Amino acid sequence: FFFSKECKMKIFYATIFLPAAAAFVATSTPRRIPATFLQSSPFDEFLGNIFGKDEDKDKSRNKDSDIINDEEINISSFQQELTKRQQQQPQQELETDIDNAITDANKEEEEEEFDGYMMRDAIYNKFGECFDVDFNKVDSYGFRSVYLNIMPFRLGGKRFRHETELDYLCHLQAVVEILQKYDQLDYVLAQLDETTKKPRAGTSPLIAVPLRLDLTEEQVNQIMG
């Protein structure tokens, strides 16, 4: 065949550039990457462990920080409550001391107020007469007891042993002080209020009203000598 010069040039270009163009297209077309190439590498795992641990540490720090903050709040509240109670305690102790002092003072006043005059009035209010009183020792079955006897001798009577009412009051005062010393005053006054007996002088023997004292043997000996 006879080819023209122009046709020969086209054939030459086709034989030279078509393979090159085909190679270029083949290389520039995206290839499908196998799934195995998408898996993480050991280097990726190494970096993940480092930065992952840092994230865990940050979370742990935040959690510990919250716990510490809660503990600080609890400690602060405890300290405030402790301070408050410490401030209140001296006031409460002071009030308690004052109440105890008032109670003791009232007891002392009651004991101090009761004297020979009041003993005379108690006897008169019970029997209608100011009878004499005296301690009497009684031995029974190997035991020794002491009684305060209300004697059937009245103030102003012939057999009354005290010359004046003042002597009688002084005697009653001494009796009251002995009863107070051995903590027997209330016990004796209670018996005086409850008794139904009355001293009698016109009988034989004379009738006295005994008021028992609750004493130890040593106290009995101290009173009676």
Side-chain angles (χ1 to χ4, degrees):
F1 295 96
F2 175 78
F3 295 100
S4 64
K5 183 178 181 180
E6 183 180 355
C7 183
K8 290 180 180 180
M9 289 298 296
K10 289 182 180 180
I11 295 172
F12 174 76
Y13 285 132
T15 56
I16 295 299
F17 289 105
L18 284 177
F24 174 76
V25 171
T27 55
S28 60
T29 301
R31 291 185 301 169
R32 185 176 181 180
I33 301 174
T36 54
F37 293 146
L38 297 178
Q39 295 179 355
S40 61
S41 66
F43 181 72
D44 293 333
E45 295 180 358
F46 175 74
L47 294 178
N49 291 334
I50 293 177
F51 293 105
K53 290 181 179 179
D54 291 339
E55 292 179 357
D56 294 339
K57 289 181 180 179
D58 292 338
K59 293 180 180 179
S60 179
R61 289 195 193 99
N62 293 333
K63 185 176 180 180
D64 293 340
S65 178
D66 293 338
I67 295 173
I68 291 173
N69 290 334
D70 292 340
E71 291 179 351
E72 289 177 352
I73 293 173
N74 293 335
I75 292 173
S76 177
S77 301
F78 172 76
Q79 290 176 344
Q80 292 177 359
E81 182 66 20
L82 180 61
T83 302
K84 181 179 178 181
R85 294 192 179 188
Q86 287 176 345
Q87 291 175 351
Q88 292 177 349
Q89 186 174 2
Q91 181 66 23
Q92 293 175 351
E93 291 179 353
L94 178 60
E95 293 176 356
T96 302
D97 293 340
I98 292 174
D99 292 339
N100 292 337
I102 293 174
T103 302
D104 294 339
N106 291 335
K107 289 182 180 179
E108 292 178 358
E109 288 178 1
E110 290 177 359
E111 292 181 355
E112 291 176 358
E113 287 177 357
F114 197 95
D115 54 13
Y117 287 92
M118 295 190 70
M119 176 63 79
R120 178 200 61 184
D121 295 341
I123 294 171
Y124 181 82
N125 293 333
K126 180 65 178 180
F127 303 114
E129 297 285 353
C130 295
F131 289 117
D132 194 8
V133 299
D134 203 0
F135 291 107
N136 183 36
K137 178 180 64 176
V138 177
D139 294 324
S140 177
Y141 300 102
F143 295 97
R144 178 174 294 183
S145 302
V146 173
Y147 292 82
L148 179 65
N149 285 346
I150 310 296
M151 308 296 292
F153 307 123
R154 60 182 179 83
L155 177 65
K158 294 181 179 179
R159 301 179 62 179
F160 197 68
R161 59 178 176 169
H162 305 290
E163 294 182 0
T164 64
E165 183 177 5
L166 181 60
D167 293 337
Y168 172 58
L169 291 172
C170 290
H171 173 68
L172 293 180
Q173 180 64 36
V175 170
V176 168
E177 290 177 0
I178 291 173
L179 294 177
Q180 289 176 341
K181 179 179 179 180
Y182 295 98
D183 196 22
Q184 297 295 303
L185 179 60
D186 292 339
Y187 184 49
V188 167
L189 292 176
Q191 293 180 75
L192 177 62
D193 182 65
E194 293 173 359
T195 186
T196 57
K197 298 179 180 179
K198 184 176 180 178
R200 293 182 181 179
T203 60
S204 180
L206 300 176
I207 297 178
V209 178
L211 306 176
R212 185 177 180 276
L213 277 65
D214 186 13
L215 303 172
T216 64
E217 183 177 356
E218 181 180 359
Q219 291 172 336
V220 169
N221 295 330
Q222 290 174 352
I223 293 175
M224 304 306 299

